[in-house]
Amino acid sequence: ISLAGTVTYPRNQRAQDVARWLPHDACVIETYAPDLAPVRRRGQRNEPTFVRDTAAFVAEAGGAGQSFTRTVTFATPSSRCAKPVNSW
């Protein structure tokens, strides 16, 4: 499940509820779209470095540390999308 910068929007309660109960190894944190930056960066063009703001929000919502959230959410897409070495 993807969690983007819009999860940080105060009125996006549904996505925030998902961030609270979703196991971190079942989600991917992403930047999503150029015009949908996290709340702290509203008005700016969204860029990949802003994913840190979203990860911090998800970590706080889920009660985990930021380093744990970063590690797990990076490992999730890597483990689910990587091709085996012998697949070529």
Side-chain angles (χ1 to χ4, degrees):
I1 293 179
S2 168
L3 296 172
T6 55
V7 73
T8 67
Y9 296 0
R11 296 176 66 184
N12 196 353
Q13 192 62 49
R14 189 173 294 180
Q16 292 171 12
D17 290 342
V18 169
R20 278 188 207 48
W21 65 260
L22 184 70
H24 289 183
D25 64 348
C27 72
V28 175
I29 297 175
E30 62 173 322
T31 54
Y32 191 63
D35 60 335
L36 297 173
V39 165
R40 195 177 95 124
R41 310 290 186 149
R42 287 305 300 232
Q44 299 178 39
R45 179 177 169 82
N46 200 10
E47 60 182 65
T49 59
F50 295 172
V51 77
R52 285 182 245 161
D53 295 333
T54 305
F57 183 90
V58 170
E60 185 176 321
Q66 288 184 34
S67 62
F68 172 78
T69 302
R70 276 182 284 205
T71 301
V72 172
T73 55
F74 175 78
T76 299
S78 299
S79 67
R80 299 191 198 280
C81 300
K83 289 185 176 185
V85 174
N86 296 329
S87 68
W88 296 98

